[in-house]
Amino acid sequence: KLVNNSFFALILLFYFLGNSYAQSPFLNEKSLDNLNSILKSNKSDSIKALANFDLARLYIAKDTALTQKYLKQGFTLSRNNNFLLGSYYTRVGYLYHHKGEYAKSKVYYKRAISYLETNKNIATYKILSDIWSNLAVIEQIRNDDEKYTELILNNAIPFAKKAKDNGRLGSLNMSLGVGFMNLNQNDKAANYFIEAEKLISMADNSAHRLAALYNKMVENYLILGKSYYAEKYLEKSRQLLNQHPSAEQQATYFFSEGFFYYKTHQFKEALFSFDKGIELSKGANKKF
């Protein structure tokens, strides 16, 4: 046996959650240029602070030094603005989360909540939803899948609903699907994944979320022994990523493709896919 199913669900969990550090939109030159142009403009300090935080989020999985640079610049511009300070501490929490320092991460997430809970607006609700999603992930890492699903259902989803954000709601349904996969309730997971696809498809700039979702659907259907549906979503993932050839999710796609070939006893093809995924993961700043 290659590896047990729960390991697949756990090892991929970070890549499929909300709008957290690992679920950043496809990193490309256009998005970087847009954010850097804001930093060079005559925009307000608040807008520049948010641009710095967005740049930090995009680089968390790629370059720690750049991440810290943008965090520092954003903090300097935040002054006494509770929303901006909450955004800053959220990103610091993401950074420690990515580094695996979960106790520190929780401290900064909770500090962010203390600044953000005084604001009642859509932008704040989105960030609070993300924070609770990542706090749930920490519980999952500690092997408490029931607590994980509870935090998603009772904390992260309500804020996403307040924000009226289909993208986040879709991602959180995807997160629940992952949670139920880890609880070996794969039929229930399939239902949440289907709902996630409906919601994410209605959202703007959703390609990165759909790429993550399709790969999880492939895995879940393979565990259920439904290779026909797995192949269908593998093709959807392939078509989507063909439009984004430089996306980090390319490596994850080949993981899913390799798993498909493995589960359908096409072992030579499986090795080829896994090797291609490994090759795509090599190089400078490729920790993600």
Side-chain angles (χ1 to χ4, degrees):
K1 189 173 182 180
L2 180 66
V3 68
N4 65 50
N5 292 335
S6 62
F7 175 79
F8 275 100
L10 175 60
I11 198 170
L12 289 177
L13 184 63
F14 288 109
Y15 305 104
F16 306 124
L17 290 174
N19 200 29
S20 65
Y21 66 85
Q23 185 70 23
S24 298
F26 292 131
L27 183 59
N28 56 52
E29 293 301 319
K30 184 177 179 181
S31 60
L32 295 177
D33 288 345
N34 288 341
L35 290 168
N36 280 310
S37 67
I38 291 174
L39 300 186
K40 297 173 183 176
S41 69
N42 293 320
K43 302 286 186 182
S44 69
D45 285 354
S46 296
I47 292 175
K48 289 182 179 180
L50 292 172
N52 274 292
F53 296 146
D54 278 345
L55 283 163
R57 176 169 60 88
L58 288 171
Y59 277 108
I60 278 176
K62 296 177 71 69
D63 191 319
T64 299
L66 272 177
T67 298
Q68 292 173 332
K69 169 191 169 183
Y70 290 123
L71 284 173
K72 183 177 180 180
Q73 289 178 178
F75 179 76
T76 301
L77 294 165
S78 295
R79 305 183 190 280
N80 295 317
N81 184 304
N82 279 0
F83 174 76
L84 295 177
L85 289 170
S87 299
Y88 166 76
Y89 287 118
T90 300
R91 297 294 184 243
V92 176
Y94 288 170
L95 177 60
Y96 282 114
H97 198 150
H98 175 70
K99 293 166 68 175
E101 298 180 39
Y102 303 118
K104 283 186 179 180
S105 179
K106 285 185 73 172
V107 168
Y108 285 103
Y109 285 150
K110 293 297 180 71
R111 189 175 298 177
I113 290 171
S114 70
Y115 280 100
L116 293 168
E117 62 188 0
T118 61
N119 292 274
K120 298 186 184 298
N121 56 61
I122 287 176
T124 301
Y125 296 148
K126 289 179 179 180
I127 298 175
L128 287 169
S129 178
D130 293 345
I131 291 172
W132 282 108
S133 176
N134 283 329
L135 285 169
V137 173
I138 292 174
E139 298 302 326
Q140 198 282 334
I141 291 167
R142 294 171 174 170
N143 295 315
D144 193 342
D145 292 295
E146 291 186 0
K147 182 67 174 177
Y148 164 75
T149 54
E150 177 190 329
L151 289 177
I152 295 291
L153 279 168
N154 298 330
N155 297 83
I157 282 181
F159 279 116
K161 287 181 176 177
K162 284 184 177 181
K164 299 178 181 179
D165 189 320
N166 285 328
R168 275 177 176 76
L169 278 173
S171 292
L172 291 169
N173 274 273
M174 178 165 52
S175 299
L176 285 176
V178 173
F180 285 117
M181 284 180 72
N182 287 336
L183 292 168
N184 297 316
Q185 298 180 40
N186 295 87
D187 285 313
K188 187 176 285 188
N191 291 331
Y192 279 107
F193 288 147
I194 290 169
E195 181 64 18
E197 184 181 18
K198 292 177 186 175
L199 289 164
I200 294 172
S201 296
M202 293 189 291
D204 295 329
N205 302 316
S206 61
H208 60 292
R209 291 186 173 108
L210 282 174
L213 174 62
Y214 291 153
N215 288 323
K216 284 312 293 177
M217 295 179 87
V218 170
E219 180 189 345
N220 193 55
Y221 279 126
L222 288 170
I223 292 169
L224 287 168
K226 298 181 177 181
S227 59
Y228 168 79
Y229 291 104
E231 189 171 21
K232 169 186 172 183
Y233 283 99
L234 193 64
E235 178 60 26
K236 283 191 173 187
S237 179
R238 183 187 297 116
Q239 291 178 3
L240 185 63
L241 287 169
N242 281 343
Q243 302 170 36
H244 303 275
S246 63
E248 295 283 1
Q249 287 88 340
Q250 289 281 357
T252 310
Y253 165 80
F254 284 104
F255 173 89
S256 299
E257 184 182 75
F259 191 38
F260 171 81
Y261 285 132
Y262 164 71
K263 293 292 280 187
T264 54
H265 304 114
Q266 301 176 70
F267 302 118
K268 183 184 291 187
E269 291 83 355
L271 287 171
F272 180 81
S273 295
F274 289 143
D275 285 341
K276 194 160 185 178
I278 290 169
E279 190 62 33
L280 284 168
S281 300
K282 291 179 180 178
N285 299 319
K286 282 286 188 177
K287 184 174 181 179
F288 177 83

